[in-house]
Amino acid sequence: MDPTRQKVKLNDGHFIPVLGFGTYAPEEVAKKEALEFTPFAIEVGFRHIDCAHFYQNEEQVGQAIQRKIADGTVKREDIFCTSKLWCTSFRPELVRPALERSLKKLQLDYVDLYIIHFPLALKALEKCKDAGLTKSIGVSNFNHKQLEKILNKPGLKYKPVCNQVECHPYLNQGKLLDFCKSHEIVLVAYAALGSQRVKEWVNPNHPVLLEDPVLSAIAQKHKKTAALIALRYQIQRGVVVLAKGNNKKWIKENMQVFEFELTPEDVKAIDGLNRNIRYYEFHLGVGQPGYPFSEEY
Ligand code: NDP
């Protein structure tokens, strides 16, 4: 199989490509970026596109996907497209209309995965899956207790297929990953390259992940970059990884993640970098019911 088409099986039988293209960008650049860089990402081989209502650029991402379908680069079924339900539409009766709005913007009949952006119940999403508007349903930013609560819910029809969370060598989510694996939930890593350090969200005093000397040394040994080491690390531990880039050189470079392998010693050294640094703390939610990051994992 073409390694760039590497996928993992979800607990509902669908498959998700292990490398995804992140489309979040700060408000002022989100739209034009999506029009320029999403088509390019598809051209160089990305087949998993991570979108969300909150990113305010689904219309542009949708145009990009349609452009690449129209010019014959891909077919709809080649693309794995995720969207996410934002907090303003968490009331059950608002869920399906929110998904339908995203579908309209994306110009799609269905998404491959619909995710609850922040912790909440899954019931209304199950109905969207039954209606064929999404192939799979998942969650994001859930801690293990919140996952457990969902999994233990009487009458649960579909388990979430994934939990999309911040994950990188400084916050490697080892315990949450083990928990997810034991329940056949795929962990999807965001901020895998250390986040875009957008000032509204990220504490500027946190160290820059891609400047880490251990990552740099391993990169030098493999004649790759620290970014590729951070992405490869996730794939080798069974994590689906997202990579953002608004630079064509980087978007192309990130496809090289399939061209090399880390040794067990490399992986051990990267495991040793774990230091509980969370770039996206979502301070606005602190103290609110459901705020997920007060638990250890
Ligand atoms: P990443 O950690 O993936 O990337 C950070 C930055 O790394 C990019 O902005 C890019 O800079 C740079 N970069 C990309 N490739 C390379 C490379 N090869 N070498 C050096 N630098 C590189 O960013 P995000 O925090 O955006 O996370 C990725 C995606 O995850 C988002 O776009 C979004 O889709 C999703 N996400 C989900 C969240 C959730 O709550 N569910 C929260 C946050 C993100 P530049 O932009 O300058 O090119």
Side-chain angles (χ1 to χ4, degrees):
M1 191 181 70
D2 176 356
T4 60
R5 301 283 177 270
Q6 215 172 300
K7 294 176 181 182
V8 295
K9 192 170 181 182
L10 301 170
N11 64 32
D12 62 0
H14 293 293
F15 288 84
I16 183 169
V18 294
L19 177 67
F21 182 67
T23 63
Y24 167 66
E27 213 177 319
E28 59 284 8
V29 285
K31 294 181 171 54
K32 75 174 185 322
E33 263 202 8
L35 266 182
E36 183 174 0
F37 298 111
T38 309
F40 184 75
I42 295 173
E43 271 161 37
V44 300
F46 281 85
R47 292 294 177 265
H48 166 178
I49 317 276
D50 185 73
C51 315
H53 165 77
F54 180 70
Y55 305 160
Q56 295 182 43
N57 57 3
E58 289 192 316
E59 221 170 304
Q60 288 74 17
V61 175
Q63 284 173 31
I65 294 173
Q66 292 308 322
R67 222 155 81 199
K68 291 289 109 191
I69 292 176
D71 74 7
T73 310
V74 284
K75 298 203 234 0
R76 166 65 187 95
E77 57 271 28
D78 299 330
I79 295 283
F80 186 101
C81 183
T82 301
S83 182
K84 308 189 193 87
L85 178 74
W86 187 240
C87 316
T88 44
S89 301
F90 277 0
R91 286 211 334 256
E93 67 276 20
L94 300 181
V95 170
R96 182 171 172 157
L99 171 54
E100 286 173 335
R101 273 196 304 278
S102 280
L103 286 171
K104 195 163 174 217
K105 288 187 181 153
L106 290 163
Q107 302 182 47
L108 300 175
D109 300 331
Y110 66 90
V111 286
D112 295 276
L113 175 62
Y114 200 45
I115 287 181
I116 304 179
H117 219 136
F118 282 94
L120 204 94
L122 271 188
K123 204 81 222 139
L125 280 200
E126 289 180 340
K127 292 191 181 142
C128 294
K129 180 171 159 91
D130 285 336
L133 301 178
T134 179
K135 299 252 184 203
S136 301
I137 55 178
V139 300
S140 177
N141 296 308
F142 275 47
N143 63 41
H144 83 286
K145 287 196 175 157
Q146 292 165 327
L147 284 174
E148 216 155 38
K149 208 166 143 192
I150 286 223
L151 294 171
N152 292 335
K153 235 182 164 65
L156 178 78
K157 192 164 179 191
Y158 305 116
K159 278 207 261 187
V161 298
C162 73
N163 187 20
Q164 187 183 118
V165 294
E166 177 171 337
C167 184
H168 44 73
Y170 287 166
L171 182 76
N172 75 21
Q173 303 275 23
K175 288 185 180 173
L176 188 60
L177 177 60
D178 287 345
F179 180 88
C180 285
K181 281 185 176 169
S182 72
H183 292 279
E184 298 177 287
I185 294 170
V186 169
L187 195 146
V188 180
Y190 72 71
L193 299 172
S195 89
Q196 298 177 55
R197 304 180 72 90
V198 176
K199 59 179 184 312
E200 298 96 284
W201 299 104
V202 175
N203 177 347
N205 298 321
H206 283 329
V208 177
L209 178 74
L210 299 184
E211 291 174 1
D212 184 274
V214 173
L215 290 183
S216 302
I218 297 172
Q220 225 172 11
K221 191 179 83 178
H222 289 276
K223 299 197 170 48
K224 298 289 176 207
T225 61
L228 282 167
I229 303 302
L231 296 176
R232 183 74 212 173
Y233 170 66
Q234 301 296 358
I235 290 176
Q236 284 191 211
R237 58 209 286 263
V239 167
V240 168
V241 67
L242 303 176
K244 174 70 179 64
N246 68 355
N247 169 321
K248 291 187 176 173
K249 182 175 157 267
W250 283 345
I251 296 172
K252 206 167 162 196
E253 174 186 303
N254 292 342
M255 289 306 294
Q256 291 176 30
V257 72
F258 299 107
E259 294 174 6
F260 70 104
E261 231 174 280
L262 298 171
T263 64
E265 293 73 36
D266 296 334
V267 172
K268 202 166 164 214
I270 302 170
D271 282 341
L273 298 177
N274 192 29
R275 59 187 73 164
N276 206 27
I277 289 176
R278 190 182 286 283
Y279 290 106
Y280 292 97
E281 288 171 350
F282 298 112
H283 285 298
L284 284 175
V286 177
Q288 302 284 341
Y291 179 73
F293 306 140
S294 315
E295 284 295 326
E296 183 200 351
Y297 70 99

